[in-house]
Amino acid sequence: FPSHDTTSISTSPAYTSGDCLGGLQTISNAVRVSGGTGTLLSVCVLDKTQAQRAAIEILFFDRSVTVAGDNAPVAMSDGDMANCLGGITIAAYNTAWPGTPLNSFSTTSPIGLPLVLNGTDLYAQAVVRATPTYTSTSDLVFIYTILQD
């Protein structure tokens, strides 16, 4: 089950390491039934402009949580963090193509993060670990591959 999320990101000012990168993402129907299970297999981040390729952490939650908002420092409450299923790190990547590169990507796999959700949706918050400046609010696409039980 692959799911694509083009999260809206800021183009100004530059991000600071530790800022939320976009808002809370909803991966709809990540599991088949409410309270169901699955396994997060991989995450691919596509940078449509290839220019930034910043390191990113992604936190996963079994329910919707309150986030600080795009381009603001992460400030999760203890109560919201109690619903965190885990996180992954996407290191700074250099997959730009030779010549005139139009995009770049990074894939993290195998992940194998077990999912037990409160409903059927999985929630994710990306956190930047660098100081990128993006040129379009749709520069990043997150592709999640989930094995549904």
Side-chain angles (χ1 to χ4, degrees):
F1 168 77
S3 175
H4 295 72
D5 185 274
T6 303
T7 191
S8 184
I9 57 176
S10 296
T11 57
S12 179
Y15 285 89
T16 299
S17 183
D19 281 353
C20 292
L21 185 58
L24 186 67
Q25 299 174 39
T26 302
I27 299 115
S28 299
N29 300 310
V31 297
R32 297 180 195 275
V33 297
S34 184
T37 61
T39 305
L40 179 65
L41 299 178
S42 68
V43 175
C44 180
V45 177
L46 169 65
D47 182 339
K48 292 180 184 178
T49 65
Q50 78 78 34
Q52 301 302 314
R53 301 186 297 258
I56 299 169
E57 290 181 3
I58 304 175
L59 303 174
F60 296 96
F61 298 90
D62 73 345
R63 66 196 72 201
S64 183
V65 295
T66 302
V67 297
D70 181 48
N71 211 346
V74 172
M76 298 281 188
S77 71
D78 291 343
D80 282 341
M81 285 308 292
N83 300 309
C84 185
L85 301 171
I88 64 161
T89 299
I90 298 171
Y93 49 100
N94 187 9
T95 58
W97 308 109
T100 307
L102 300 176
N103 52 52
S104 62
F105 70 93
S106 180
T107 301
T108 301
S109 105
I111 296 172
L113 179 66
L115 306 174
V116 179
L117 303 184
N118 187 47
T120 59
D121 298 341
L122 176 65
Y123 297 88
Q125 178 60 60
V127 179
V128 69
R129 291 300 181 192
T131 57
T133 301
Y134 294 97
T135 58
S136 169
T137 59
S138 62
D139 276 356
L140 296 180
V141 177
F142 294 84
I143 304 165
Y144 300 100
T145 304
I146 298 168
L147 176 63
Q148 297 177 324
D149 293 338

